[in-house]
Amino acid sequence: MNFFEKYKETLSSVLPVMIIVLVLGVTIVPLGAGILVRFVAGGFLLIFGLTLFLAGVDLGILPVGERCGAALTAKRNLSLLLGVSFLIGVLVTVAEPDVQVLADQIKSVASSVNKWALIFMIAAGIGLFVVVGLLRTILSLKLKYVLIVAYTAVFAIAFLCPKEFQGVAFDAGGATTGPMTVPFIMALGVGVAAVRSKGLHGNAHSDSSDDSFGLTGIASVGPVAAVCVYGILLNCMGGLPQENGAASASVEGGVGHAVSEGLNLKIFAELLPEEIKEVSMALLPLVIMFASFQFFLLKMPPVQFRRVLKGLAYSFIGLVIFLTGVNGGFMPAGQTLGLVLGERACADGGIWIGLLTVTGVLFGAVVVCAEPAVWVLTEQVEQVSGGTIRRKAMLFALSAGVAISIGLSMLRIMYGFSLWYVLVPGYALSLVLSLFCPPMFVGIAFDSGGVASGPMTSTFILSFTLGAAAGSAGGMSGGSAADAFGVIALVAMTPLIAIQMLGLVFKIKTKKES
């Protein structure tokens, strides 16, 4: 474990956003000293907490995921593999920090939503589709056909879902594939693909490296379907989210509270007990699962088991600090910035609409380039393509795509056009591209859908969008703060198109060279 390397990765991800906010906050959109001081304090807590959390994942959690994947596949027991994989998918998702933050923000605009019911629905969706993805690998089904069937079914369910939950559902698909969930899912996928040539029951299969990719992409479909089902059930029980005005007031009230607190940094200490309680509830099932695996399956020597416990302790402390920084200063500043820009854009139009859109575009371009996972992804694609697809081309494509996605989200807030006008053609194009793109690039593209929507998207970008939606609520588009949801979905959709288009470039170049 290299703590300093993790610190540099996290700092490079968060610092560009902090610089942009500080520049805007003291020039064009004055936020006040109180908000800015709390923002800086929350930002550095976020950096330190996320660093500690990621270090704990590498030290204790990721090795357990890899060992579980290897041990389960070695058992050659399909029922055991699928059952335990479902359990892993559920419990790891419950502990995912991005999911915790998303659920809190959904709760801020829809008081009728039960946070933990929503989290467990998302987790169940992940677990179910992890099983689907593993079966796809075991049965040697083509990834593109599984994705086409899965997304067709999900869009059908989404159209039946209440409007208030449609953006939330697709956001959940992007937020779940975070630093906690992805290592476990990838470990299971790689483990199953590695032994498939021998077969889980001793039958021979043709080996293909293409099967190493795609499980994360399939798993991310699950939360979308699960949240849509939750919305339909809530609607049937008469528990729809608040109406537009109430939703707007909820976000504005939260922002107003942040402003009135001023320089009061005691808010971080006041939040600490609640965050400790929330993180304890999230991680306790994971600890129980680890203990059970150690006793019945892994039987690691004491030295390795102590290392796992140390990693869990780091993750616990880091997650508490991360959420305290996020809720105490980072997200309130994002909401305030978005609220001010949204109000001015709604009242004055013209240049302020342009400024809101350009600010969103700038955040999108900076955030995706600063995400450590994006750099890992671009290196992976460069290696897979044998250097034909350069990292710089990948970064440019992803940066442009995410920037456009967030810019479109700002315009959608101001003008009120439907999320479907972007999602339907975007996913349709992604699925059509999968029919012509090399299979490995299809797997990488859908796996990386959540890579671009990392911690910065689920914390700052969504809070900024919520503020902008609250500021413009009832104005030009007559919309509400709930219109902010969908921004993570658009960000997560970008790599599906960008990477597959680069895959087609690779395919054409390969044909010409041969």
Side-chain angles (χ1 to χ4, degrees), residues 170-471:
F170 282 91
D171 277 355
T176 47
T177 48
M180 177 73 88
T181 311
V182 170
F184 271 83
I185 293 177
M186 290 188 70
L188 288 171
V190 171
V192 172
V195 300
R196 189 177 65 84
S197 58
K198 299 178 181 178
L200 286 174
H201 298 293
N203 300 321
H205 293 278
S206 58
D207 183 33
S208 173
S209 58
D210 295 344
D211 290 327
S212 298
F213 303 102
L215 181 57
T216 304
I218 293 173
S220 65
V221 180
V224 183
V227 175
C228 287
V229 171
Y230 179 73
I232 293 170
L233 292 175
L234 199 61
N235 188 28
C236 292
M237 293 186 293
L240 275 173
Q242 298 172 350
E243 294 299 322
N244 293 351
S248 303
S250 174
V251 177
E252 290 182 19
V255 174
H257 175 71
V259 175
S260 66
E261 288 289 342
L263 289 167
N264 179 20
L265 296 179
K266 290 190 293 184
I267 186 68
F268 295 107
E270 293 168 1
L271 284 170
L272 200 58
E274 181 63 24
E275 301 303 349
I276 291 173
K277 176 184 175 183
E278 294 284 323
V279 174
S280 298
M281 291 175 64
L283 288 183
L284 182 60
L286 199 61
V287 172
I288 295 172
M289 182 184 76
F290 283 176
S292 301
F293 283 173
Q294 167 64 8
F295 185 77
F296 294 107
L297 185 66
L298 301 178
K299 303 187 187 318
M300 291 181 288
V303 173
Q304 291 179 343
F305 188 64
R306 284 196 296 269
R307 182 182 174 91
V308 169
L309 293 179
K310 187 177 179 181
L312 282 170
Y314 282 171
S315 296
F316 175 83
I317 297 169
L319 194 49
V320 168
I321 296 172
F322 169 81
L323 291 174
T324 302
V326 164
N327 293 319
F330 207 73
M331 288 201 306
Q335 286 184 350
T336 306
L337 179 64
L339 179 67
V340 174
L341 284 172
E343 287 177 340
R344 293 298 300 272
C346 186
D348 302 332
I351 192 171
W352 285 97
I353 294 178
L355 181 59
L356 175 65
T357 305
V358 169
T359 302
V361 168
L362 184 60
F363 279 138
V366 169
V367 163
V368 72
C369 287
E371 285 287 358
V374 169
W375 287 85
V376 174
L377 170 70
T378 54
E379 182 179 2
Q380 181 185 41
V381 173
E382 191 172 54
Q383 290 175 350
V384 167
S385 67
T388 305
I389 305 300
R390 298 292 182 184
R391 169 178 280 188
K392 288 183 179 179
M394 273 284 295
L395 285 172
F396 178 80
L398 289 174
S399 179
V402 172
I404 292 170
S405 296
I406 298 179
L408 282 173
S409 295
M410 299 301 107
L411 293 174
R412 174 174 166 255
I413 287 169
M414 297 311 303
Y415 294 108
F417 58 83
S418 173
L419 179 65
W420 296 118
Y421 293 166
V422 184
L423 279 184
V424 171
Y427 274 99
L429 176 59
S430 302
L431 294 173
V432 169
L433 286 172
S434 72
L435 298 174
F436 305 99
C437 186
M440 186 175 293
F441 279 91
V442 175
I444 293 173
F446 281 86
D447 275 356
S448 63
V451 166
S453 55
M456 285 300 93
T457 305
S458 59
T459 56
F460 184 82
I461 297 298
L462 182 54
S463 64
F464 172 75
T465 311
L466 278 166

Side-chain angles (χ1 to χ4, degrees), residues 99-121:
V99 175
Q100 298 283 328
V101 172
L102 177 67
D104 283 330
Q105 300 205 74
I106 294 169
K107 181 72 175 175
S108 74
V109 298
S111 61
S112 58
V113 171
N114 182 291
K115 174 184 174 180
W116 286 102
L118 180 65
I119 287 175
F120 275 104
M121 282 295 289

Side-chain angles (χ1 to χ4, degrees), residues 31-102:
L31 297 180
I35 285 289
L36 292 178
V37 169
R38 279 181 52 182
F39 172 70
V40 172
F44 281 107
L45 284 175
L46 184 154
I47 291 168
F48 180 71
L50 189 57
T51 300
L52 200 59
F53 172 79
L54 292 174
V57 169
D58 278 0
L59 181 66
I61 295 176
L62 180 56
V64 170
E66 292 172 345
R67 287 174 177 271
C68 286
L72 288 169
T73 51
K75 293 285 186 182
R76 301 289 197 274
N77 186 321
L78 181 60
S79 299
L80 177 66
L81 172 65
L82 298 181
V84 175
S85 297
F86 174 81
L87 182 64
I88 289 174
V90 170
L91 297 183
V92 172
T93 304
V94 170
E96 177 63 62
D98 291 358
V99 175
Q100 298 283 328
V101 172
L102 177 67

